[in-house]
Amino acid sequence: MEIIIAGNAGFCWGVKRAMKAAEDSTAANQDPVTSLGPIIHNPTIVERLKEKGLHTAKTLDEINTGTVLIRAHGVPPKTMTEIQEKGLKVVDATCPIVKKSQRYAQRLTEQGYQVVIIGDKNHPEIIGILGHTDGKAIVIDTPEEAEKLEIKCKIGLIVQTTHSADEYRKIEDILRKRGAEVFASDTLCFETTRQQSSAVEVSRQVDVMIVVGGRNSANTVRLYNLCRETGVDTWHVESAEELQPEWFIGKNKVG
């Protein structure tokens, strides 16, 4: 059986950067280091970093001492203020591309644009960007929502870094065709976009596709859906133990 690995498989550089920050800060500190939310939506990696001393808290209320690690997704400005008020140290591992999205969102809001964020409204990255507009942005996720959007003024468009590039372009086109004046800030992660393209390319060459990553990872779920849309049998697993022998019966090529 031939196994083909997508050319851009693995963590993006923003996640690698956050994981290095976690490892460096736990090695250098005697005080507790706590990630505000799981540092990555991958339970296997979260558990591995826990063994190295990285704690995880769901909310800031759970952290009263030591260092707070801001994960790659970033946080709203209000959260940073609350961390400082509690007298906690901060290691800010927000992905630079997410930082750019946050700056765009704040600047466009100040300039009078109606900021529209394309992404999952419950994703921490989107929650953080929304906070940089004082909650004034509108969050949509699909072309269908773009068709229904009430257009009152010029629109500043921002997209979740891991969103589908094709869906982003469709939404931008819909808004322009509906007569909106759109300032589009392309804040897609170029590495994630390449990863999606290479996964789709591989899925078209194989008999079965395995997507490995956390089930709570927006990026991994999107990769799974994109591969499945090519028509190939696609399975999403978090670990090798989840692989089932029957998936590979009669299959010659595995992605």
Side-chain angles (χ1 to χ4, degrees):
M1 190 164 58
E2 183 181 357
I3 298 172
I4 302 174
I5 300 174
N8 289 289
F11 299 131
C12 68
W13 66 275
V15 167
K16 290 176 183 175
R17 177 176 173 273
M19 288 171 58
K20 185 178 187 305
E23 291 171 348
D24 289 349
S25 57
T26 50
N29 277 282
Q30 292 183 335
D31 293 331
V33 179
T34 307
S35 173
L36 187 54
I39 187 170
I40 178 176
H41 289 150
N42 185 312
T44 303
I45 299 299
V46 170
E47 189 60 32
R48 187 186 305 167
L49 289 171
K50 181 180 178 181
E51 292 171 3
K52 293 185 177 183
L54 181 68
H55 306 278
T56 301
K58 291 182 179 179
T59 68
L60 189 57
D61 291 338
E62 300 173 40
I63 310 174
N64 295 308
T65 186
T67 299
V68 178
L69 177 71
I70 304 300
R71 55 191 175 169
H73 304 118
V75 295
K78 180 182 176 184
T79 301
M80 291 297 282
T81 300
E82 290 172 350
I83 291 171
Q84 293 165 359
E85 288 174 348
K86 292 186 79 167
L88 300 166
K89 298 176 184 176
V90 179
V91 172
D92 188 355
T94 304
C95 171
I97 299 176
V98 175
K99 283 272 194 187
K100 183 171 74 171
S101 299
Q102 294 173 346
R103 290 194 298 270
Y104 273 136
Q106 183 173 344
R107 191 180 310 146
L108 289 168
T109 301
E110 291 170 350
Q111 291 174 353
Y113 285 83
Q114 171 58 69
V115 173
V116 175
I117 308 170
I118 303 171
D120 177 0
K121 64 181 179 181
N122 297 314
H123 194 278
E125 178 187 326
I126 299 302
I127 292 169
I129 296 170
L130 185 61
H132 282 76
T133 70
D134 291 327
K136 296 175 182 176
I138 298 169
V139 181
I140 63 174
D141 198 26
T142 65
E144 290 75 22
E145 290 177 278
E147 292 281 11
K148 298 175 184 177
L149 187 67
E150 187 176 356
I151 299 172
K152 294 182 178 179
C153 60
K154 55 187 180 180
I155 289 175
L157 202 58
I158 293 172
V159 62
Q160 186 172 334
T161 55
T162 56
H163 210 277
S164 160
D166 288 343
E167 288 285 287
Y168 167 55
R169 301 303 177 202
K170 285 179 187 176
I171 290 172
E172 182 183 351
D173 287 345
I174 287 168
L175 294 175
R176 291 191 189 280
K177 286 176 181 176
R178 293 186 60 213
E181 179 187 340
V182 179
F183 178 88
S185 308
D186 188 345
T187 50
L188 288 167
C189 170
F190 62 90
E191 193 169 346
T192 298
T193 301
R194 282 206 310 251
Q195 188 181 64
Q196 292 172 354
S197 297
S198 65
V200 168
E201 182 182 343
V202 169
S203 70
R204 289 176 175 148
Q205 303 172 37
V206 298
D207 305 311
V208 60
M209 191 74 179
I210 307 298
V211 179
V212 185
R215 286 191 177 79
N216 58 342
S217 163
N219 191 27
T220 308
V221 170
R222 197 170 299 282
L223 284 173
Y224 167 73
N225 288 329
L226 288 169
C227 293
R228 189 177 60 169
E229 285 168 8
T230 67
V232 71
D233 288 346
T234 305
W235 304 94
H236 179 177
V237 301
E238 288 188 351
S239 66
E241 288 73 24
E242 295 177 36
L243 295 171
Q244 302 297 316
E246 57 267 26
W247 296 347
F248 308 99
I249 295 173
K251 310 295 186 183
N252 296 314
K253 287 186 178 181
V254 179

